[in-house]
């Protein structure tokens, strides 16, 4: 049986989830994929930090030790922020490794470059986990785009914002009160700026734009508006009219071939594909030329939804490598 060596970059929530799933499903992967997946190293910033959930001999703070692993086949990149995530991902690809990332900040800016580099070095990049967590929007779009053209994407791409708007309407609460509740429940970070300002949704929208259209709009031309100015009175007035506030990320191809994008709160009615999306769920509505409108819905974040999608990305890569050739 083939042995597959992998490394994990970053051991926060997502990195720990990857470690747990690979070890828990190791025997199943032997049966279903015909490989024994071994975690060879885990890259962290501070090797002195106690970690009861991983053997100390796997922990390193030196990326050169990762690259020196004999026959390393895949790197799971679960670092926060643009750097050193991009530098490490690029070097891993140049070292002949497949890379799987959940890093929307890095990938929204450098994704097209990394994918081109992967083609050059004969490896693959998996990035399903960068966008909409457990919703398989990337794989679905890749399949759809083999036949269809996608000309309009609308999405609820941040579960925190959607939870806040849902609770403001269903419970009649003010924005600040719901935000505190979201933080207590772990739905919002201690610093929720990226979520409530629209920056998180914007980054994910740029990743979807690159996939659907092969390009992104000029970032400075995209209006990005958060949800902080929406009042409970506005939500109540909208509800009385049968409308709901949704924080919508929107990109479409104009008649002149230019991309038009925006991120911000919108009032939607029951006929809108995002009207019924509640709580921390994410959703993406794709307008296509043959299928029509297809809407994907699911959990947007969390340790296991994100980590499982990353492991699924690699399982797909392995399945493709071992798939029989038909004539």
């Amino acid at each position: 049986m083939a042995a597959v060596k992998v490394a994990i970059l970053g051991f926060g929530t997502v990195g720990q989830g990857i470690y747990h799933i690979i070890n828990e499903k190791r025997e199943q992967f032997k049966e279903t994929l015909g490989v024994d997946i071994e975690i060879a190293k885990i890259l962290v910033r501070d090797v002195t930090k106690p970690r009861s959930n991983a053997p100390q001999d796997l922990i390193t703070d030196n990326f050169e030790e990762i690259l020196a692993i004999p026959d390393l086949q895949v790197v799971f990149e679960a670092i926060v922020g643009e750097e050193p995530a991009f530098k490490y991902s690029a070097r891993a690809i140049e070292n002949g490794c497949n890379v799987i990332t959940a890093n929307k900040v890095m990938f929204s800016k450098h994704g097209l470059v990394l994918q081109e580099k992967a083609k050059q070095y004969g490896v693959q990049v998996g990035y399903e986990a960068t966008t909409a967590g457990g919703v398989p929007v990337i794989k679905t779009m890749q399949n759809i785009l083999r036949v269809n053209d996608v000309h309009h994407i609308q999405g609820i791409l941040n579960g925190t914002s959607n939870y806040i708007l849902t609770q403001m309407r269903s419970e009649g609460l003010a924005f600040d009160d719901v935000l505190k509740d979201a933080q207590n429940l772990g739905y919002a970070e201690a610093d929720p700026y990226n979520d409530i300002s629209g920056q998180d949704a914007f980054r994910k929208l740029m990743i979807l734009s690159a996939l659907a259209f092969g390009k992104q709009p000029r970032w400075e031309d995209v209006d990005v508006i958060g949800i902080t100015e929406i009042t409970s009175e506005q939500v109540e007035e909208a509800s009385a009219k049968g409308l709901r506030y949704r924080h919508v990320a929107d990109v479409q191809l104009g008649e002149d071939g230019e991309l038009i994008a925006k991120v911000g709160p919108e009032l939607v009615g029951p006929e809108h594909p995002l009207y019924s999306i509640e709580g921390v769920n994410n959703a993406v509505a794709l307008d296509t030329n043959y299928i029509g409108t297809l809407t994907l819905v699911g959990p947007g974040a969390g340790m296991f939804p994100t980590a499982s999608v990353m492991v699924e990305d690699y399982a797909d890569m392995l399945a493709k490598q071992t798939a029989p050739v038909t004539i």
Side-chain angles (χ1 to χ4, degrees):
M1 178 176 294
V4 173
K5 291 186 178 180
V6 308
I8 301 172
L9 310 186
F11 206 56
T13 299
V14 175
Q16 291 176 46
I18 295 166
Y19 180 83
H20 175 85
I21 290 172
I22 289 177
N23 283 302
E24 183 176 73
K25 296 292 186 180
R26 190 169 181 176
E27 293 303 316
Q28 180 178 325
F29 292 147
K30 289 179 183 178
E31 296 177 10
T32 59
L33 299 173
V35 295
D36 182 17
I37 301 179
E38 174 194 348
I39 298 171
K41 281 292 180 183
I42 301 169
L43 183 74
V44 300
R45 283 184 296 184
D46 181 5
V47 294
T48 65
K49 181 179 177 180
R51 292 178 175 84
S52 59
N53 50 358
Q56 189 61 35
D57 62 343
L58 293 184
I59 303 298
T60 181
D61 60 359
N62 184 357
F63 183 67
E64 299 304 322
E65 290 187 23
I66 302 292
L67 295 182
I69 297 169
D71 302 319
L72 180 66
Q73 292 192 29
V74 65
V75 167
F76 289 97
E77 189 276 299
I79 299 172
V80 175
E82 185 178 332
E83 290 293 359
F86 172 59
K87 178 176 68 176
Y88 289 168
S89 297
R91 290 194 63 197
I93 289 170
E94 292 165 359
N95 202 52
C97 294
N98 300 293
V99 170
I100 297 168
T101 181
N103 191 331
K104 55 188 169 289
V105 172
M106 181 275 291
F107 203 77
S108 60
K109 186 172 182 180
H110 301 293
L112 290 172
V113 171
L114 288 179
Q115 290 176 86
E116 189 60 37
K117 186 179 286 288
K119 289 179 183 177
Q120 179 183 350
Y121 285 88
V123 295
Q124 300 178 66
V125 176
Y127 60 100
E128 182 73 68
T130 61
T131 306
V135 186
V137 61
I138 302 298
K139 291 185 181 68
T140 302
M141 283 183 63
Q142 288 170 335
N143 288 333
I144 286 173
L145 289 166
R146 293 190 178 107
V147 176
N148 285 258
D149 295 324
V150 173
H151 51 81
H152 189 191
I153 301 170
Q154 299 175 88
I156 293 173
L157 300 178
N158 184 270
T160 301
S161 291
N162 201 51
Y163 174 80
I164 291 172
L165 293 176
T166 298
Q167 293 298 99
M168 288 178 71
R169 188 193 77 254
S170 63
E171 303 299 325
L173 299 174
F175 173 86
D176 289 339
D177 293 332
V178 183
L179 175 58
K180 290 177 184 176
D181 177 49
Q183 289 172 317
N184 291 334
L185 291 170
Y187 296 154
E189 300 288 344
D191 180 1
Y193 171 79
N194 284 334
D195 294 324
I196 63 177
S197 68
Q199 287 300 315
D200 177 76
F202 166 73
R203 292 285 187 154
K204 295 170 181 175
L205 183 67
M206 293 301 97
I207 292 171
L208 294 180
S209 175
L211 174 57
F213 308 114
K215 60 182 180 179
Q216 299 174 345
R218 283 163 39 100
W219 285 21
E220 56 268 33
D221 292 340
V222 181
D223 288 332
V224 180
I225 302 172
I227 63 170
T228 56
E229 301 303 314
I230 298 176
T231 66
S232 53
E233 290 78 15
Q234 288 175 313
V235 172
E236 185 177 351
E237 290 173 6
S239 295
K241 299 175 183 176
L243 303 174
R244 295 177 180 178
Y245 276 100
R246 292 289 182 242
H247 195 237
V248 181
D250 186 300
V251 62
Q252 58 185 305
L253 198 62
E255 293 182 0
D256 59 358
E258 292 298 312
L259 290 176
I260 305 165
K262 61 181 178 178
V263 178
E266 293 185 16
L267 281 173
V268 302
E271 74 288 345
H272 195 282
L274 302 179
Y275 177 83
S276 62
I277 311 305
E278 298 279 61
V280 295
N281 278 331
N282 280 200
V284 179
L286 308 171
D287 288 346
T288 71
N289 54 334
Y290 293 136
I291 299 173
T293 300
L294 175 67
T295 304
L296 306 169
V297 183
M303 174 188 288
F304 292 120
T306 303
S308 66
V309 166
M310 295 180 75
V311 178
E312 287 165 15
D313 263 347
Y314 191 51
D316 283 347
M317 292 178 185
L318 288 171
K320 290 175 183 176
Q321 291 173 5
T322 58
V325 177
T326 58
I327 300 176

